[in-house]
Amino acid sequence: MGFVQKSIAAGLILLSLFSIPLLMLSQQWFDESETSYGIQAGDIDSLSFQWFDWQSEKQSFPFEQPTMTYLFLGFLSCSEICPIRIQQLSQLERAIEQDEYLANQSIRFLFVSFDPENDTAQVRKQVIDNKSARFTSAILPDEDLMTLSNQLSENIQRETETINHVGNLFLLDEAGKIQRIYTAKQLSTNKMLKELAHYLNQDSRASNE
């Protein structure tokens, strides 16, 4: 891909991210009686995989430092769920930083691209990694990516002209175990924030017993 084509692709990606309808994210309901918003994962095994960051350095998940992780598989030229998810995570991170308790917790956002040809290292750095120290972008070898996709039932289909996938968001604990799954209809950052705080408080109490 030439320099001009890469520049155009990067511009289109940024345009799609900044022009998504924020109304979808701002129309949120907050029920004080709720303790669970996302879907429980059931018997899915803990996730463990190796990946490459934007600097092409090999990394491992779970992270070396124990951390809660929001994991999302997508591609940056997507015009549907992906830009909405990325904006959702940005809103969630801002809310975390404004919360006295959560701001001091180890919480990260891991974006795994399944379109590395277009989601180049510099594009991923600009759109994802530069957001904050909590954000990280990753690519995986094709075989490992499909294994991860099958584990998560993401149903990635790259054979068609348009890449298709489910677009779920996953909340993982320090051991890589999926604690919650958020579907494309679950866009309330307020409820996700409450659920995250509930889990961390519960985990903290268990550690102190």
Side-chain angles (χ1 to χ4, degrees):
M1 183 184 292
F3 174 77
V4 174
Q5 290 175 305
K6 289 182 178 179
S7 299
I8 293 173
L12 291 173
I13 289 168
L14 290 173
L15 179 63
S16 69
L17 288 172
F18 289 118
S19 63
I20 64 171
L22 296 183
L23 183 61
M24 295 185 67
L25 298 178
S26 61
Q27 292 180 336
Q28 301 172 347
W29 299 268
F30 186 77
D31 185 350
E32 292 293 344
S33 66
E34 288 187 8
T35 57
S36 179
Y37 177 57
I39 300 170
Q40 291 188 348
D43 295 328
I44 300 178
D45 292 337
S46 296
L47 301 183
S48 178
F49 56 90
Q50 292 187 322
W51 50 278
F52 295 91
D53 61 22
W54 74 270
Q55 295 176 301
S56 298
E57 294 182 0
K58 182 179 285 189
Q59 308 287 349
S60 295
F61 184 85
F63 294 106
E64 184 176 341
Q65 177 188 359
T67 182
M68 295 294 294
T69 303
Y70 286 95
L71 173 67
F72 176 62
L73 278 64
F75 62 110
L76 295 176
S77 58
C78 169
S79 61
E80 298 179 6
I81 186 61
C82 299
I84 294 174
R85 282 294 192 210
I86 293 171
Q87 183 66 27
Q88 180 187 33
L89 294 179
S90 295
Q91 289 191 346
L92 186 60
E93 194 233 2
R94 287 195 292 270
I96 287 172
E97 291 302 322
Q98 294 169 5
D99 185 282
E100 185 176 355
Y101 171 69
L102 293 177
N104 294 309
Q105 304 303 307
S106 183
I107 304 165
R108 297 183 67 173
F109 304 92
L110 180 60
F111 170 82
V112 174
S113 170
F114 47 75
D115 185 22
E117 182 178 349
N118 293 306
D119 294 349
T120 63
Q122 287 302 318
V123 169
R124 288 188 285 112
K125 177 178 181 290
Q126 183 178 7
V127 177
I128 302 296
D129 297 79
N130 281 354
K131 284 182 176 295
S132 80
R134 295 186 188 271
F135 278 83
T136 303
S137 67
I139 58 172
L140 280 68
D142 272 354
E143 185 177 347
D144 296 340
L145 176 64
M146 296 316 297
T147 297
L148 180 62
S149 171
N150 291 336
Q151 283 184 281
L152 300 175
S153 299
E154 270 297 290
N155 194 27
I156 298 172
Q157 298 178 6
R158 296 186 292 185
E159 295 79 13
T160 59
E161 187 172 322
T162 301
I163 301 176
N164 294 313
H165 67 117
V166 175
N168 286 337
L169 176 66
F170 303 88
L171 175 61
L172 312 177
D173 65 18
E174 296 88 341
K177 181 71 174 176
I178 300 174
Q179 294 299 324
R180 289 291 185 271
I181 302 172
Y182 301 99
T183 70
K185 294 182 179 180
Q186 292 170 302
L187 298 173
S188 171
T189 53
N190 283 336
K191 292 181 179 180
M192 290 172 63
L193 192 72
K194 181 184 176 184
E195 190 161 70
L196 175 64
H198 175 78
Y199 178 84
L200 286 171
N201 283 321
Q202 187 179 52
D203 190 52
S204 177
R205 287 194 299 269
S207 299
N208 294 327
E209 289 179 355

